[in-house]
């Protein structure tokens, strides 16, 4: 059923007249929240390294914001007037018009409300890349789907859910606008903040089960949706013919390098070299190689929990006989519902669909098809955490993935994926040695490009890890190391007290204290020890990795979120290639800190949409599959124009389960769906991009990296 929510009379409902007759045509209602035509009360604007004023623009009055450089996110927060109610119920989106009127490229980011759940707050935000003089509209969805359930249903272990409102809209009372990753002063305009999009309201009667026997959303149809086992088999036959028609680009070497291009020194392994002013990988035969890759190329990466929510699902095959292998007991749940309900029963719809599609030899066919698809799509690298049985076949270059298992942690540190390693604990080096030795799949294999070690570590702000050390107990090896360094520097506790403005009676009291100092000299000392942590970490990993696999590249720890010049400087001394998981709309202008010239590998990026029965777009949103393909092309071509970037790997091969993996992620970010059918619109654009990528990179003189970088990799 559909319901039109009543809007307060004092808000504007946009009306437009048809050009063909005099009958008014009502477009979707919109609720104007701020248009600044009447100005704004100063007490409603909170400034963070910024100032503002009302100015006249081409379409009327708007808010001009001028930001500084003291913060990485300078900007303003606009609060709701106390005497004006906002009834946002029934609206799908918040929109705001922005314009860059400064001299440098910038990103304007908008946060809607301030949900106490940091992850939800992040989901209620988005941004635009804007060149000088460019304008656009930032859009933030208030719901996971463009319709809602009434009453709201309670879904567990799912980041995005059908018919669910993201946040409590009754508590939205502010909007925040930042200059994202600001490295120079910026000036931008804000206007016409409004709620738009009338939501369809759906009754919940008969909703459960909402997942069919193939793992698809049950209550919606779309192009390519599988209705029967016959559909699965017909899709396999269709793709087989398609792959024959598109076997892959011509002019490539054995390893996927550019055989029609320049040939440099061949060492028998992958290496890097700067050629014609641009960094490249060089394949084992000496040909230029740019790594177009894909992560998580593994049939076992898409299990979904069924325990505690069996009513979500229409049916499962028996947990016995030939289908028993698709039932699992999983214990991977770093966060979310299953982290507190662990271990849990899980099922792999994707693997079961492969069995229905290809028969008993489904795994062999899956692994062979990886290489067929990659060649056909123009990809040349199997990425992070992928099927090792497929990579060892010697058909497609790949990267190794090493996790430092069981390493001691800094108890007082914090991070999205957990605490940071205590690199001064003697067991850290031992765990590194053991982890490298046990996960050295591909060592000295010419098809192995190199190794990622760890993933998305939380480095925090400068000094933060040292602060975590001080918050740790006295037995923490890193804390003992830090105190010993301070003893060498200051000799006596009195000297430390004077420098830190503290009053410790002894070094032992300082060791036992969890107090974190805030003075200028103390911050400098925290910075020094922070750098020592980073140096020790990267050197230990490098040295132990090279002992076991000297011919492969150290690809780094896949930086994400907040980084800084200290960490990147330490990393650059030891990494052969510096890796960054960079979820952006463009990486054309990413840059390393001044003085660092190293090759960069993008470890993760993606774009998702909601036009194929999924409930979450992932980190970056597209409106449909065709736009996902276009965004891929834009991203890759921008990376090809950047002289430091030598590859980019999409996350991930297969759509995440509609009902979520162990941590709840359920993103439409695969190039194949749960039934193993490729998204044709995406693949078409991928081929258009990758088949000519070598000529594009070598011959394109319009290189990225502007004077004031759009995205600095210290963030």
């Amino acid at each position: 059923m559909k319901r039109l929510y009543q809007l307060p009379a004092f808000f504007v409902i946009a009306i437009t007249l048809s050009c063909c007759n005099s009958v008014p045509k009502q477009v979707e209602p919109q609720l104007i929240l701020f248009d600044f035509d009447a100005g704004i009360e100063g007490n409603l604007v909170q400034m963070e390294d910024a100032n503002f004023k009302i100015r006249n623009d081409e379409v009327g009055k708007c808010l001009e914001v001028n930001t500084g450089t003291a913060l990485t996110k300078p900007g303003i927060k606009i609060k709701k007037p106390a005497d004006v109610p906002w009834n946002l119920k029934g609206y799908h989106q918040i929109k705001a018009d922005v314009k860059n009127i400064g001299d440098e490229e910038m990103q304007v980011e908008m946060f809607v409300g301030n949900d106490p759940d940091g992850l939800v707050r992040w989901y209620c935000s988005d941004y635009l890349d804007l060149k000088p003089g460019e304008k656009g509209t930032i859009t933030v969805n208030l719901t996971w789907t463009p319709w809602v359930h009434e009453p709201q249903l309670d879904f567990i272990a799912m980041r995005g859910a059908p018919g669910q409102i993201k946040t409590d809209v009754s508590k939205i009372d502010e909007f925040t606008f930042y200059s994202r990753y600001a490295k120079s002063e910026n000036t931008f305009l804000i206007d016409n903040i409004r709620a738009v999009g009338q939501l369809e309201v759906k009754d919940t009667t008969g909703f459960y089960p909402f997942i069919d026997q193939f793992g698809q959303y049950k209550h919606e149809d779309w192009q390519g949706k599988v209705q029967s086992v016959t559909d699965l088999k017909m899709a396999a036959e269709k793709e087989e013919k398609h792959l024959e028609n598109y076997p892959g680009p011509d002019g490539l070497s054995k390893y996927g390098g550019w055989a029609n291009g320049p040939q440099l020194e061949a060492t028998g392994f992958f290496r890097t070299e700067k050629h014609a002013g641009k960094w490249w990988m060089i394949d084992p035969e000496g040909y230029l190689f740019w790594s177009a890759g894909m992560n998580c190329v593994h049939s076992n990466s898409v299990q979904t929990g069924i325990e505690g929510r069996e009513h979500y699902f229409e049916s499962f095959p028996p947990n016995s006989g030939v289908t028993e292998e698709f039932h699992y007991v999983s214990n991977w749940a770093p966060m979310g519902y299953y982290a507190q309900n662990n271990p849990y029963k899980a099922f792999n719809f994707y693997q079961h669909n492969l069995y229905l599609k290809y028969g008993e030899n489904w795994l062999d066919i899956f692994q062979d098809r990886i290489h067929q698809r990659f060649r056909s799509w123009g990809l040349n690298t199997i990425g992070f955490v992928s099927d090792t049985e497929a990579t060892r076949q010697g058909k497609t270059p790949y990267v190794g993935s090493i996790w430092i298992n069981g390493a001691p942690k800094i108890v007082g540190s914090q991070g999205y994926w957990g605490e940071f390693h205590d690199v001064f604990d003697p067991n850290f080096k031992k765990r590194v040695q053991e982890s490298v030795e046990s996960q050295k799949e591909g060592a000295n294999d010419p098809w192995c490009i190199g190794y990622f070690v760890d993933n998305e570590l939380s480095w925090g702000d400068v000094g933060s890890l040292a602060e975590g050390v001080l918050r740790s107990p006295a037995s923490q090896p890193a804390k003992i190391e830090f105190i010993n360094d301070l003893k060498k520097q200051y000799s006596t506790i009195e000297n430390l007290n004077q420098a830190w403005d503290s009053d410790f009676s002894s070094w032992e009291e300082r060791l036992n204290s969890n107090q974190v100092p805030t003075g200028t000299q103390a911050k400098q000392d925290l910075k020094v020890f922070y750098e020592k942590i980073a140096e020790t970490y990267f050197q230990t990993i490098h040295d132990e990795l090279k002992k076991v696999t000297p011919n492969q590249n150290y690809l780094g720890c896949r930086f994400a979120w907040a980084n800084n010049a200290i960490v990147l400087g330490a990393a650059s001394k030891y990494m052969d290639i510096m890796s960054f998981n960079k979820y952006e709309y463009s990486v054309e202008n990413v840059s390393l800190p001044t003085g660092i010239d190293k090759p960069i590998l993008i470890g993760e990026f993606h774009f998702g949409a909601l036009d194929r029965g999924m409930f979450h777009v992932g980190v970056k949103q597209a409106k449909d599959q065709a736009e996902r393909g276009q965004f891929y092309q834009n991203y890759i071509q921008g990376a090809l124009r950047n002289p430091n970037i030598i590859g980019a790997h999409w996350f991930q091969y297969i759509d995440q389960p509609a009902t979520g993996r162990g941590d709840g992620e359920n993103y439409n970010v695969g190039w194949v769906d749960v039934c193993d059918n490729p998204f044709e619109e995406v693949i078409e654009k991928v081929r258009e991009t990758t088949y000519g990528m070598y000529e594009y990179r070598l011959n394109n003189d319009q290189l990225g990296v502007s004077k004031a970088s759009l995205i600095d990799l210290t963030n």
Side-chain angles (χ1 to χ4, degrees):
M1 64 180 176
K2 243 180 182 177
R3 184 173 305 157
L4 187 63
Y5 290 100
Q6 184 68 39
L7 299 179
F10 49 82
F11 287 124
V12 176
I13 299 179
I15 301 290
T16 177
L17 295 178
S18 169
C19 62
C20 301
N21 52 57
S22 60
V23 178
K25 179 182 177 183
Q26 183 172 324
V27 298
E28 282 194 315
Q30 65 175 12
L31 183 66
I32 302 298
L33 305 173
F34 290 103
D35 65 7
F36 306 108
D37 286 342
I40 188 171
E41 296 178 22
N43 63 347
L44 298 180
V45 182
Q46 297 177 9
M47 295 170 284
E48 299 178 11
D49 189 25
N51 57 67
F52 74 95
K53 66 180 180 180
I54 298 295
R55 62 167 281 168
N56 287 312
D57 195 39
E58 57 207 40
V59 294
K61 291 183 178 179
C62 57
L63 194 70
E64 177 184 314
V65 180
N66 301 279
T67 64
T69 59
L71 303 175
T72 57
K73 280 191 173 185
I76 64 168
K77 180 179 294 183
I78 307 173
K79 301 288 290 186
K80 179 182 77 68
D83 59 344
V84 178
W86 284 352
N87 182 9
L88 299 179
K89 185 179 181 182
Y91 289 100
H92 178 37
Q93 297 171 326
I94 298 292
K95 290 178 178 285
D97 299 329
V98 293
K99 181 179 181 180
N100 177 9
I101 61 171
D103 298 326
E104 302 289 351
E105 296 177 65
M106 67 172 300
Q107 293 178 321
V108 180
E109 183 172 30
M110 174 177 73
F111 281 81
V112 174
N114 189 17
D115 195 288
D117 184 322
L119 193 60
V120 173
R121 182 175 187 271
W122 178 49
Y123 288 145
C124 292
S125 72
D126 206 353
Y127 66 89
L128 288 179
D129 299 319
L130 296 175
K131 293 181 172 62
E134 189 175 9
K135 60 184 176 181
T137 300
I138 305 176
T139 302
V140 172
N141 292 342
L142 297 177
T143 58
W144 292 113
T145 53
W147 51 270
V148 290
H149 278 139
E150 191 174 283
Q152 287 277 282
L153 298 175
D154 184 20
F155 294 93
I156 58 174
M158 295 171 61
R159 293 276 178 92
Q164 193 173 64
I165 301 170
K166 288 184 182 181
T167 185
D168 186 346
V169 296
S170 69
K171 294 183 179 178
I172 294 175
D173 64 354
E174 64 182 40
F175 300 100
T176 307
F177 293 87
Y178 293 120
S179 173
R180 192 169 183 251
Y181 301 153
K183 296 297 177 184
S184 61
E185 294 181 354
N186 296 126
T187 304
F188 62 95
L189 306 180
I190 305 168
D191 197 13
N192 198 20
I193 305 173
R194 70 263 189 202
V196 302
Q198 178 187 317
L199 288 165
E200 178 186 0
V201 180
K202 294 186 178 182
D203 194 345
T204 59
T205 303
F207 179 75
Y208 294 111
F210 67 96
I211 299 296
D212 70 15
Q213 62 176 316
F214 302 107
Q216 304 170 117
Y217 181 51
K218 182 179 176 181
H219 302 305
E220 205 172 279
D221 286 327
W222 57 85
Q223 176 186 328
K225 185 177 183 181
V226 169
Q227 307 289 350
S228 66
V229 175
T230 300
D231 285 352
L232 282 171
K233 295 182 180 296
M234 289 178 63
E237 295 174 3
K238 177 183 176 182
E239 189 190 8
E240 190 67 45
K241 295 177 182 178
H242 192 73
L243 292 172
E244 291 175 4
N245 292 333
Y246 294 93
D250 298 325
L252 300 183
S253 72
K254 172 183 177 181
Y255 296 96
W258 191 21
N260 289 344
Q263 187 173 18
L264 308 181
E265 180 186 358
T267 64
F269 295 94
F270 282 93
R271 62 182 184 86
T272 60
E273 182 176 329
K274 206 166 193 179
H275 174 74
K278 305 167 190 177
W279 279 103
W280 291 84
M281 284 192 197
I282 310 299
D283 79 6
E285 297 179 320
Y287 295 108
L288 301 179
F289 184 94
W290 201 87
S291 182
M294 178 83 74
N295 292 316
C296 302
V297 188
H298 202 304
S299 69
N300 200 23
S301 64
V302 285
Q303 301 172 25
T304 190
I306 59 177
E307 190 167 348
R309 49 183 196 159
E310 290 82 356
H311 60 295
Y312 288 12
F313 307 97
E314 189 173 64
S315 65
F316 300 106
N319 189 5
S320 61
V322 295
T323 56
E324 181 180 6
E325 64 178 316
F326 309 124
H327 290 263
Y328 292 84
V329 175
S330 180
N331 59 10
W332 186 82
M335 60 197 71
Y337 173 80
Y338 284 117
Q340 285 76 47
N341 298 272
N342 207 346
Y344 56 95
K345 294 178 182 178
F347 185 74
N348 193 317
F349 282 102
Y350 180 76
Q351 288 184 336
H352 183 238
N353 290 336
L354 290 175
Y355 167 73
L356 296 175
K357 191 173 187 178
Y358 300 121
E360 292 184 2
N361 294 327
W362 65 269
L363 183 56
D364 292 336
I365 295 172
F366 164 80
Q367 291 167 347
D368 185 60
R369 183 131 302 183
I370 289 170
H371 303 292
Q372 285 182 289
R373 284 174 171 169
F374 270 44
R375 284 194 298 272
S376 176
W377 298 347
L379 300 186
N380 58 22
T381 308
I382 299 175
F384 191 58
V385 289
S386 293
D387 189 323
T388 56
E389 291 186 13
T391 58
R392 67 170 65 117
Q393 291 177 4
K395 296 179 181 178
T396 305
Y398 63 96
V399 300
S401 310
I402 294 177
W403 303 90
I404 307 305
N405 294 327
K409 304 295 184 181
I410 298 173
V411 175
S413 65
Q414 298 176 336
Y416 183 76
W417 296 113
E419 300 163 336
F420 199 86
H421 303 301
D422 186 343
V423 298
F424 301 106
D425 190 313
N427 285 318
F428 174 70
K429 183 175 182 179
K430 180 180 179 181
R431 296 304 181 198
V432 171
Q433 293 170 337
E434 293 172 349
S435 297
V436 170
E437 185 61 39
S438 65
Q439 300 172 60
K440 63 180 181 181
E441 180 77 29
N444 301 311
D445 177 2
W447 290 91
C448 181
I449 292 172
Y451 292 88
F452 293 112
V453 184
D454 278 334
N455 178 55
E456 297 185 339
L457 297 174
S458 295
W459 295 97
D461 295 330
V462 172
S464 60
L465 292 178
E467 292 176 4
V469 167
L470 291 182
R471 286 192 294 266
S472 299
S475 58
Q476 186 83 52
K479 191 171 188 179
I480 295 171
E481 181 81 7
F482 191 12
I483 299 305
N484 285 338
D485 286 354
L486 294 173
K487 286 180 180 179
K488 293 175 183 177
Q489 179 178 352
Y490 291 106
S491 300
T492 68
I493 194 65
E494 289 76 17
N495 290 339
L496 176 73
N497 284 334
Q498 184 176 359
W500 281 22
D501 192 23
S502 56
D503 58 356
F504 297 108
S505 61
S506 66
W507 288 109
E508 185 176 359
E509 184 183 355
R510 172 60 273 190
L511 180 64
N512 283 283
S513 172
N514 294 329
Q515 178 185 329
V516 175
T518 58
T520 302
Q521 182 57 48
K523 287 183 177 180
Q524 177 61 30
D525 293 336
L526 290 167
K527 175 181 175 181
V528 170
F529 193 69
Y530 176 90
E531 184 172 9
K532 185 175 182 179
I533 293 172
E535 285 265 0
T536 305
Y537 170 80
F538 292 120
Q539 182 174 10
T540 303
I541 300 293
H542 170 274
D543 293 351
E544 298 307 317
L545 186 64
K546 293 298 183 179
K547 288 177 185 177
V548 175
T549 176
N551 295 306
Q552 269 69 45
N553 294 285
Y554 176 22
L555 306 177
C557 57
R558 297 158 54 86
F559 288 111
W561 309 306
N563 305 301
N564 55 70
I566 289 177
V567 171
L568 298 187
S572 68
K573 299 176 186 178
Y574 301 102
M575 292 179 183
D576 299 301
I577 299 169
M578 300 183 70
S579 55
F580 296 83
N581 295 351
K582 214 64 183 163
Y583 288 94
E584 305 285 345
Y585 293 108
S586 172
V587 289
E588 178 176 359
N589 291 327
V590 302
S591 65
L592 292 164
T594 302
I596 300 177
D597 184 17
K598 299 282 287 190
I600 296 168
L601 178 61
I602 303 298
E604 288 184 16
F605 72 104
H606 68 217
F607 308 97
L610 299 180
D611 61 334
R612 292 295 195 274
M614 296 292 282
F615 316 125
H616 200 308
V617 299
V619 182
K620 288 288 170 279
Q621 178 172 345
K623 66 182 180 183
D624 53 28
Q625 300 305 310
E627 190 169 72
R628 291 181 73 207
Q630 184 60 60
F631 282 177
Y632 175 84
Q633 182 173 86
N634 297 347
Y635 192 101
I636 292 297
Q637 289 185 344
L640 289 165
R641 291 192 295 271
N642 188 305
N644 284 75
I645 296 179
I646 59 172
H649 297 175
W650 178 278
F651 179 90
Q652 60 179 22
Y653 183 58
I654 309 160
D655 263 354
Q656 293 177 335
T659 46
R661 63 181 194 179
D663 63 351
E665 284 190 12
N666 57 339
Y667 305 162
N668 164 233
V669 293
W671 286 3
V672 299
D673 63 19
V674 68
C675 294
D676 191 49
N677 295 327
F679 295 110
E680 295 178 1
E681 306 97 317
V682 175
I683 301 306
E684 180 180 353
K685 211 65 179 178
V686 168
R687 286 196 184 101
E688 185 181 305
T689 306
T690 58
Y691 275 40
M693 66 180 181
Y694 287 118
E695 293 91 339
Y696 187 95
R697 178 168 176 79
L698 188 66
N699 300 323
N700 196 313
D701 294 326
Q702 295 179 354
L703 295 180
V705 187
S706 63
K707 181 179 179 181
S709 290
L710 179 63
I711 307 167
D712 190 310
L713 287 173
T714 57
N715 294 288

